[in-house]
Amino acid sequence: DVFPENLGTAVLYGATQLAVFRMKGGGVFATQNMCPHKQAFVLAQGIASDGDAPKIACPLHKKQFDLETGEEINGGDLKIVTFAARVTDAGRLELELPPRDEVDAVLATDKLKVCSEAPVQEPVFSR
């Protein structure tokens, strides 16, 4: 399996790093790979869990995010972008993503720099 259980895999989509997670319980999730806390591209290296709610913990500062909603767990106000993901009957992983240029306009690796504050504007993608 290319996507090991309870571990993230970084995937490049256009100029954007995504993190894909396959959970032990069978769920699959896709998010941005950048942690919004310090804008580091590390979420795929974080600790994934599918306990009460599927979540990812950033390996740098342990900020936790719900993999379904993107909301920060434990009362924080940070959020990550999540994308629909599923495994087909043939066992193939499929992600439902907006067009590359739309994702790149918001999340492209070369557009983001390390800073002391996370972006306050939430990304908007057409459907």
Side-chain angles (χ1 to χ4, degrees):
D1 285 307
V2 175
F3 299 97
E5 291 180 344
N6 285 6
L7 294 175
T9 302
V11 175
L12 191 61
Y13 178 65
T16 300
Q17 290 185 35
L18 302 178
V20 177
F21 303 93
R22 184 171 69 99
M23 308 307 279
K24 193 172 189 175
V28 291
F29 303 91
T31 71
Q32 67 191 55
N33 192 33
M34 182 198 73
C35 178
H37 178 231
K38 293 292 183 182
Q39 295 189 344
F41 295 89
V42 296
L43 289 182
Q45 299 168 33
I47 300 167
S49 169
D50 59 353
D52 294 338
K55 62 185 174 185
I56 183 66
C58 174
L60 296 180
H61 301 100
K62 309 302 183 241
K63 298 277 186 185
Q64 296 180 41
F65 300 94
D66 185 306
L67 287 170
E68 292 177 328
T69 66
E71 300 286 333
E72 185 179 359
I73 297 172
N74 298 325
D77 60 354
L78 297 175
K79 188 171 182 175
I80 59 174
V81 178
T82 60
F83 303 97
R86 70 183 187 103
V87 176
T88 66
D89 292 337
R92 183 180 172 128
L93 176 68
E94 291 183 347
L95 305 180
E96 185 178 324
L97 301 169
R100 282 188 179 130
D101 59 334
E102 289 184 26
V103 175
D104 285 347
V106 177
L107 296 173
T109 304
D110 63 349
K111 294 194 183 314
L112 299 168
K113 309 272 187 257
V114 175
C115 66
S116 61
E117 295 182 24
V120 287
Q121 183 177 0
E122 290 202 26
V124 177
F125 299 111
S126 64
R127 294 280 178 194

